[in-house]
């Protein structure tokens, strides 16, 4: 059985060896399994370039990435806390929705989905000194835009705020200075750039943040501090852990290291991106996000014509063995092609060949641009 390559933002294509690592049954209290958890937490800190000795903790949380975001927000916010959420896409909106669902005070600063956040407006908002927390999405997977997390972090710190970054689709596949970005807490998940399979997310956060918010959790299952205390205490999850996913993730971390770490992985994703964008432009497609704001994670392409039938395009590509992704931006009709996962420029070339064939079958009226 051959799986189709997934040009999606996750779950994504994983290596054969990552999948094979799951074909074991380990008990959740098994000493070998507890060792896997401990090593995995240390590896995540290393990947971020921080350590427990410097006051950092990696906390694993069952569920998809959103569960980890909700865990952080509902656990670290004191009753009188107030968030400033920087939004230029659906995942920023989701952060705000989670905050509001917990009855926590928040305001948003929005910019267009293909524009960077307005740093002047953020500075002005923080100047009022009413906010305690600032949140932003790193790579807004809605469009593929990369947000300036270091610049926003500097503003958050200037005004004494706790700084949270949703780096779900970027961590492990984008080089950045973790400590230099003034982060207090970052969240990502197993099935993104580390190239594991779905089942848990993780928060990398300052220990003092966990200590200071001991009593603030608004839920039992998503209590980040209790989860951390459990992992530190007996090395175990409080509730049933995703054992197989954790084994796959341990293998995925080894493979990330063997590839040459984040720098090498980011370069491969960039090569996938560059091949894809050059090929799509040559066919006559246009990106939604300006070139200088694009990351290497995922690209949104505008529908080539008003009557473009995305479902037919998707299904024809699917029949040829390729999986792409629908659009998510609200102000333009787009579809998306992901560059992450166990995919290489040759896979992207094969996708482009299939897109050329589908474009001909559908008689798409495209205006190729010169390289
Ligand atoms: C930036 C970002 N935040 C949050 C999420 C939500 O993650 P999940 O679907 O694993 O809950 C995603 C998923 O792609 C994402 O890209």
């Amino acid at each position: 059985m051959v799986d189709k390559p997934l040009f999606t933002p996750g779950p994504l294509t994983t290596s054969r060896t990552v999948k094979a690592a799951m074909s074991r049954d380990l008990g959740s209290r098994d000493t070998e399994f507890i060792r896997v958890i401990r090593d995995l937490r240390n590896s995540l800190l290393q990947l971020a370039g921080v350590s427990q000795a410097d006051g950092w903790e990696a906390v694993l949380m069952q569920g998809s990435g959103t569960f980890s975001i909700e865990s952080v927000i509902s656990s670290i916010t004191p009753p009188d806390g107030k968030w400033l959420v920087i939004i230029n896409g659906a995942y920023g909106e989701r952060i705000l929705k989670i905050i509001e669902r917990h009855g926590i005070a928040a305001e948003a600063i929005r910019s267009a989905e293909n524009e960077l956040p307005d740093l002047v407006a953020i500075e002005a908002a923080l100047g009022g000194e009413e906010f305690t927390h600032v949140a932003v999405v790193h790579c807004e997977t809605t469009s593929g835009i990369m947000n300036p997390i270091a610049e926003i972090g500097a503003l958050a710190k200037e005004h004494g705020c706790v700084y949270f970054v949703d780096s779900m689709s970027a961590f492990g596949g984008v080089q950045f200075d973790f400590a230099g970005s003034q982060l207090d807490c970052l969240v990502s998940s197993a099935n993104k750039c580390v190239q594991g399979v779905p089942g848990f997310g993780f928060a990398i956060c300052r220990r003092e943040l966990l200590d200071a918010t001991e009593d603030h959790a608004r839920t039992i299952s998503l209590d980040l501090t209790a989860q951390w205390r459990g992992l530190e205490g007996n090395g175990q999850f409080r509730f049933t852990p995703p054992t197989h996913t954790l084994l796959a993730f341990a293998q995925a971390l080894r493979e990330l290291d063997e590839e040459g770490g984040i720098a090498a992985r980011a370069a491969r994703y960039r090569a996938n991106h560059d091949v894809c964008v050059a090929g799509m432009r040559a066919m006559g497609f246009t990106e939604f996000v300006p070139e200088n704001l694009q990351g290497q994670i995922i690209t949104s392409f505008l529908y080539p014509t008003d009557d473009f039938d995305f479902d037919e395009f998707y299904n024809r590509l699917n029949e040829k063995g390729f999986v792409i992704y629908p659009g998510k931006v609200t102000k333009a009709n787009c579809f998306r092609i992901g560059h992450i996962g166990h995919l290489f420029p040759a896979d992207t070339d094969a996708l482009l060949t299939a897109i050329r064939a589908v474009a001909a079958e559908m008689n798409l009226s495209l205006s190729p641009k010169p390289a």
Side-chain angles (χ1 to χ4, degrees):
M1 197 170 58
V2 178
D3 293 328
K4 293 169 188 160
L6 304 176
F7 293 87
T8 64
L12 32 74
T13 296
T14 56
S15 69
R16 190 184 42 77
T17 34
V18 162
K19 286 185 270 287
M22 284 188 288
S23 53
R24 300 188 59 197
D25 299 314
L26 285 186
S28 56
R29 283 154 213 280
D30 189 304
T31 48
E32 184 186 347
F33 180 62
I34 288 171
R35 211 167 33 242
V36 168
I37 297 175
R38 189 197 57 206
D39 292 349
L40 203 148
R41 292 177 62 218
N42 285 334
S43 298
L44 283 174
L45 293 179
Q46 263 174 25
L47 207 53
V50 296
S51 67
Q52 274 196 316
D54 295 335
W56 290 88
E57 297 290 345
V59 189
L60 314 176
M61 182 59 74
Q62 296 95 325
S64 83
T66 305
F67 291 58
S68 287
I69 293 176
E70 184 145 15
S71 166
V72 167
I73 291 167
S74 63
S75 301
I76 70 165
T77 317
D80 56 352
K82 181 166 183 179
W83 287 76
L84 179 65
V85 188
I86 319 296
I87 301 177
N88 56 352
Y91 293 107
E93 295 288 356
R94 189 178 295 178
I95 290 176
L96 181 65
K97 193 170 178 183
I98 291 170
I99 294 170
E100 289 177 338
R101 180 61 63 92
H102 286 279
I104 297 167
E107 276 178 35
I109 292 192
R110 289 186 175 82
S111 47
E113 290 161 320
N114 54 356
E115 284 175 19
L116 292 183
D118 180 346
L119 296 178
V120 175
I122 296 171
E123 166 120 64
L126 291 174
E129 305 301 333
E130 61 184 301
F131 296 102
T132 53
H133 295 66
V134 174
V136 71
V137 176
H138 192 176
C139 170
E140 190 30 283
T141 327
T142 311
S143 64
I145 198 168
M146 287 300 289
N147 282 326
I149 59 166
E151 284 87 336
I152 297 171
L155 295 176
K157 281 301 117 177
E158 219 174 277
H159 295 280
C161 293
V162 171
Y163 183 40
F164 169 63
V165 173
D166 166 359
S167 189
M168 201 70 71
S169 59
F171 183 75
V174 172
Q175 278 189 289
F176 68 100
D177 178 359
F178 191 95
S181 299
Q182 316 277 355
L183 288 169
D184 294 298
C185 186
L186 165 149
V187 160
S188 183
S189 75
N191 58 287
K192 299 289 189 196
C193 297
V194 179
Q195 296 183 186
V197 304
F200 72 94
F202 50 88
I204 298 177
C205 50
R206 290 187 197 279
R207 188 180 310 120
E208 64 190 25
L209 190 61
L210 296 167
D211 277 331
T213 54
E214 179 92 54
D215 304 321
H216 299 329
R218 290 154 177 85
T219 72
I220 299 293
S221 55
L222 296 178
D223 183 337
L224 189 75
T225 310
Q227 185 87 339
W228 167 60
R229 293 218 181 279
L231 290 166
E232 281 296 292
N234 59 11
Q236 298 173 14
F237 280 67
R238 293 170 303 151
F239 313 123
T240 301
T243 45
H244 299 78
T245 300
L246 287 154
L247 289 171
F249 195 72
Q251 176 63 21
L253 281 168
R254 279 192 285 278
E255 292 179 15
L256 174 53
D257 190 43
E258 283 159 16
E259 184 170 352
I262 294 178
R265 183 150 295 178
R268 173 163 61 85
Y269 290 169
R270 175 55 65 183
N272 291 345
H273 166 277
D274 291 353
V275 168
C276 176
V277 169
M280 293 295 280
R281 280 184 192 166
M283 269 184 262
F285 288 96
T286 306
E287 308 98 88
F288 171 67
V289 173
E291 185 167 10
N292 62 325
L293 306 184
Q294 288 174 24
Q296 66 260 25
I297 302 300
I298 192 164
T299 306
S300 291
F301 291 98
L302 294 163
Y303 282 9
T305 53
D306 287 342
D307 60 353
F308 176 67
D309 185 341
F310 174 73
D311 288 342
E312 183 182 350
F313 185 70
Y314 177 93
N315 289 332
R316 284 179 183 266
L317 279 174
N318 202 286
E319 279 160 23
K320 293 187 191 311
F322 297 89
V323 179
I324 63 165
Y325 220 56
K328 205 172 169 80
V329 294
T330 54
K331 298 279 188 303
N333 283 324
C334 290
F335 62 90
R336 288 177 291 171
I337 298 180
H339 313 300
I340 60 177
H342 191 66
L343 295 177
F344 300 81
D347 298 303
T348 305
D349 267 332
L351 171 68
L352 290 168
T353 303
I355 292 177
R356 264 180 231 112
V358 167
E361 286 164 20
M362 290 175 66
N363 285 320
L364 289 184
S365 90
L366 296 165
S367 330
K369 290 172 215 60

